[in-house]
Amino acid sequence: MLVISQLLTAARAGQIRRICSSALQCRARHRCLRPPQRPPHAVKPAPQKNSSADGSPAGRCQWRIQSRPYRTSSELRYNLTPPQVNSILKANEYSFKVPEFDGKNVSPVLGFDSNQLPANAPIEDRRSAATCLQTRGMLLGVFDGHAGCACAQALSERLFYYIAVSLLPQETLLEIENAVESGRAVLPILQWHKHPNDYFSKEASRLYFNSLRTYWQELIDLNSGETPDIKEALINAFKRLDNDLSLEAQVGDPNSFLNYWVLRVAFSGATACVAHIDGVDLHVANTGDGRAVLGVQEEDGSWSALTLSNDHNAQNEEEIRRVQSEHPKNEEKTVVKQDRLLGLLMPFRAFGDVKFKWSIELQKRVLESGPDQLNENEHTKFIPPNYHTPPYLTAEPEVIHHRLRPQDRFLVLGTDGLWETMHRQEVVRIVGEYLTGVHLQQPITVGGYKVTLGQMQGLLMERRALVSSVFEDQNAATHLIRHAVGNNEFGTVDHERLSKMLSLPEELARMYRDDITIIVVQFNSHVISAHNKPGGGDSP
């Protein structure tokens, strides 16, 4: 962002260490194989999440010596003003309200807020939201890219079309195919809800359409005569798109730009967390370490968090057993090493990442016939260690169904950049209090810190200021990011900390946090209550 670039020279290492030391410890603990042994002013992270730019094996961050130290002059000091902070936080926010009919909102979804805050340059996260026009329901998703943004970008443009097509009845698929064949206008499938920065790749649109058309033609040929099952449709859509990403990279394209693009998509990777909401039926399809958390309001007004996804990483013992069971016994100690897939990749499920899916022979053949830019990239030529029985990685999602209840007030979809900084219960409390305007004051806890009476008074003043600060944000996702980045050890937003974190140079920002992408979906409890009554229009 322009305002950040203008402030890069104002950052100094002493301030960064003082304001961000706790955040650095968090990043080292969660994202790196080992904590950095050098001070922040002497190192910087590699720009990719699953390997370094020079091709050496890495986790989602890697350390190397920075040749020029940052300025450490004690006279240099800069703080962003509150308007400047707000400008940065609100640059990518987007809100959508579901239209009313005859003055009434008949949808269980009132609307949603979304936002993104970059740490990588460019940001590797993506987001999407759309209304299904030929079937019922709304689709919302967050995508977390690694080794670049190409794969996440492709998912944000394509995955919802694959899901929508998977849900279409046979007669609609035939109608669409006949329209394409005869050159007539095709029925619109999705109505997109996009921020102006959420762009589409015009150069690849024809390629994407041809692959999608092949998919619906196969669905027509495989006609079972049954209404598509939502869970099955979500799984098929995820797997088919990942297969198409792989096939497009293998086949290549006569257009040099597209040929390079499909290879970039395939050799990078991305996780996906997608929600499909149809009436009171909520399905969450998750591949990777994104997360979906439901905000539930209890009878006493308090908030509780209900997680509707499982992280696919080394913190999930069932996922470790699944990966180990798919390979020979003699690979048991190498398939998951240092809490990473083959010692390299943190998520155990992802789109793209063909380096963990293709045979060594196929990788070499594609690289040898690929463009020079690809061959010059050491990362793409690097073969993971102990690579004997691919594929090691899958894009198949885990799908969880939940029937909405009146007490289910909102859903938070977030990439792991959010969940690394905040506990799910804290996320739900902050969003719940923001949406209702009701702040349940808990006794102030100081977590073992020695606090003077003067400091306690300061904390009470911060609490009072926090209530009024809610009105600074007209977007729930923005409000949540403000807390994720600016919260101090006492759980309140510290403007000085927030200012320093937002003014970090690009080469330092990734050391302290990841890209953060959030979608907050707000539900209509009155409509949900009507759906749950006998004869109240339950979903089939």
PDB file of all heavy atoms in Angstrom, residues 4-12 71 76 505:
ATOM      1  N   ILE A   4       2.091   2.646   3.396  1.00  0.00           N
ATOM      2  CA  ILE A   4       3.129   1.852   4.040  1.00  0.00           C
ATOM      3  C   ILE A   4       4.472   2.100   3.384  1.00  0.00           C
ATOM      4  O   ILE A   4       5.489   2.301   4.047  1.00  0.00           O
ATOM      5  CB  ILE A   4       2.782   0.357   3.995  1.00  0.00           C
ATOM      6  CG1 ILE A   4       1.529   0.096   4.838  1.00  0.00           C
ATOM      7  CG2 ILE A   4       3.926  -0.503   4.491  1.00  0.00           C
ATOM      8  CD1 ILE A   4       1.111  -1.337   4.879  1.00  0.00           C
ATOM      9  N   SER A   5       4.489   2.103   2.054  1.00  0.00           N
ATOM     10  CA  SER A   5       5.753   2.283   1.345  1.00  0.00           C
ATOM     11  C   SER A   5       6.399   3.620   1.671  1.00  0.00           C
ATOM     12  O   SER A   5       7.615   3.757   1.691  1.00  0.00           O
ATOM     13  CB  SER A   5       5.522   2.160  -0.162  1.00  0.00           C
ATOM     14  OG  SER A   5       4.672   3.192  -0.615  1.00  0.00           O
ATOM     15  N   GLN A   6       5.591   4.612   1.951  1.00  0.00           N
ATOM     16  CA  GLN A   6       6.139   5.923   2.289  1.00  0.00           C
ATOM     17  C   GLN A   6       6.755   5.946   3.685  1.00  0.00           C
ATOM     18  O   GLN A   6       7.510   6.836   4.024  1.00  0.00           O
ATOM     19  CB  GLN A   6       5.023   6.971   2.229  1.00  0.00           C
ATOM     20  CG  GLN A   6       4.511   7.212   0.805  1.00  0.00           C
ATOM     21  CD  GLN A   6       3.296   8.099   0.812  1.00  0.00           C
ATOM     22  OE1 GLN A   6       2.570   8.173   1.793  1.00  0.00           O
ATOM     23  NE2 GLN A   6       3.067   8.785  -0.290  1.00  0.00           N
ATOM     24  N   LEU A   7       6.422   4.928   4.495  1.00  0.00           N
ATOM     25  CA  LEU A   7       6.865   4.952   5.881  1.00  0.00           C
ATOM     26  C   LEU A   7       7.961   3.940   6.178  1.00  0.00           C
ATOM     27  O   LEU A   7       8.401   3.807   7.316  1.00  0.00           O
ATOM     28  CB  LEU A   7       5.673   4.639   6.800  1.00  0.00           C
ATOM     29  CG  LEU A   7       4.493   5.591   6.677  1.00  0.00           C
ATOM     30  CD1 LEU A   7       3.341   5.095   7.505  1.00  0.00           C
ATOM     31  CD2 LEU A   7       4.889   6.980   7.134  1.00  0.00           C
ATOM     32  N   LEU A   8       8.412   3.204   5.160  1.00  0.00           N
ATOM     33  CA  LEU A   8       9.348   2.116   5.420  1.00  0.00           C
ATOM     34  C   LEU A   8      10.615   2.607   6.097  1.00  0.00           C
ATOM     35  O   LEU A   8      11.159   1.957   6.997  1.00  0.00           O
ATOM     36  CB  LEU A   8       9.715   1.413   4.099  1.00  0.00           C
ATOM     37  CG  LEU A   8       8.540   0.744   3.384  1.00  0.00           C
ATOM     38  CD1 LEU A   8       9.048  -0.068   2.219  1.00  0.00           C
ATOM     39  CD2 LEU A   8       7.768  -0.147   4.345  1.00  0.00           C
ATOM     40  N   THR A   9      11.118   3.739   5.648  1.00  0.00           N
ATOM     41  CA  THR A   9      12.385   4.215   6.205  1.00  0.00           C
ATOM     42  C   THR A   9      12.251   4.665   7.643  1.00  0.00           C
ATOM     43  O   THR A   9      13.255   4.919   8.305  1.00  0.00           O
ATOM     44  CB  THR A   9      12.914   5.388   5.364  1.00  0.00           C
ATOM     45  OG1 THR A   9      11.924   6.417   5.325  1.00  0.00           O
ATOM     46  CG2 THR A   9      13.217   4.942   3.940  1.00  0.00           C
ATOM     47  N   ALA A  10      11.019   4.793   8.136  1.00  0.00           N
ATOM     48  CA  ALA A  10      10.827   5.278   9.497  1.00  0.00           C
ATOM     49  C   ALA A  10      10.901   4.182  10.544  1.00  0.00           C
ATOM     50  O   ALA A  10      10.881   4.467  11.727  1.00  0.00           O
ATOM     51  CB  ALA A  10       9.474   5.992   9.611  1.00  0.00           C
ATOM     52  N   ALA A  11      10.936   2.897  10.121  1.00  0.00           N
ATOM     53  CA  ALA A  11      10.972   1.800  11.091  1.00  0.00           C
ATOM     54  C   ALA A  11      12.385   1.640  11.637  1.00  0.00           C
ATOM     55  O   ALA A  11      13.349   1.730  10.902  1.00  0.00           O
ATOM     56  CB  ALA A  11      10.522   0.506  10.427  1.00  0.00           C
ATOM     57  N   ARG A  12      12.514   1.386  12.897  1.00  0.00           N
ATOM     58  CA  ARG A  12      13.838   1.110  13.443  1.00  0.00           C
ATOM     59  C   ARG A  12      13.783  -0.162  14.283  1.00  0.00           C
ATOM     60  O   ARG A  12      12.782  -0.498  14.878  1.00  0.00           O
ATOM     61  CB  ARG A  12      14.351   2.266  14.282  1.00  0.00           C
ATOM     62  CG  ARG A  12      13.568   2.605  15.529  1.00  0.00           C
ATOM     63  CD  ARG A  12      14.147   3.854  16.187  1.00  0.00           C
ATOM     64  NE  ARG A  12      13.414   4.214  17.384  1.00  0.00           N
ATOM     65  CZ  ARG A  12      13.775   3.851  18.608  1.00  0.00           C
ATOM     66  NH1 ARG A  12      14.822   3.071  18.771  1.00  0.00           N
ATOM     67  NH2 ARG A  12      13.078   4.222  19.655  1.00  0.00           N
ATOM     68  N   ARG A  71      18.404   0.747   9.975  1.00  0.00           N
ATOM     69  CA  ARG A  71      18.854   1.879  10.780  1.00  0.00           C
ATOM     70  C   ARG A  71      18.376   1.707  12.207  1.00  0.00           C
ATOM     71  O   ARG A  71      17.247   1.314  12.470  1.00  0.00           O
ATOM     72  CB  ARG A  71      18.304   3.175  10.195  1.00  0.00           C
ATOM     73  CG  ARG A  71      18.836   3.462   8.790  1.00  0.00           C
ATOM     74  CD  ARG A  71      18.180   4.704   8.211  1.00  0.00           C
ATOM     75  NE  ARG A  71      18.494   5.880   9.004  1.00  0.00           N
ATOM     76  CZ  ARG A  71      17.973   7.070   8.758  1.00  0.00           C
ATOM     77  NH1 ARG A  71      17.130   7.237   7.756  1.00  0.00           N
ATOM     78  NH2 ARG A  71      18.301   8.097   9.509  1.00  0.00           N
ATOM     79  N   LEU A  76      15.211   8.225  15.462  1.00  0.00           N
ATOM     80  CA  LEU A  76      14.216   7.964  14.432  1.00  0.00           C
ATOM     81  C   LEU A  76      12.992   7.314  15.064  1.00  0.00           C
ATOM     82  O   LEU A  76      13.066   6.284  15.696  1.00  0.00           O
ATOM     83  CB  LEU A  76      14.806   7.024  13.373  1.00  0.00           C
ATOM     84  CG  LEU A  76      14.008   6.844  12.086  1.00  0.00           C
ATOM     85  CD1 LEU A  76      13.844   8.185  11.385  1.00  0.00           C
ATOM     86  CD2 LEU A  76      14.725   5.856  11.176  1.00  0.00           C
ATOM     87  N   PRO A 505       8.300  -2.684   7.477  1.00  0.00           N
ATOM     88  CA  PRO A 505       8.700  -2.878   6.085  1.00  0.00           C
ATOM     89  C   PRO A 505       8.251  -4.244   5.587  1.00  0.00           C
ATOM     90  O   PRO A 505       8.084  -5.188   6.363  1.00  0.00           O
ATOM     91  CB  PRO A 505      10.235  -2.797   6.139  1.00  0.00           C
ATOM     92  CG  PRO A 505      10.542  -2.084   7.408  1.00  0.00           C
ATOM     93  CD  PRO A 505       9.462  -2.433   8.360  1.00  0.00           C
TER      94      PRO A 505
END
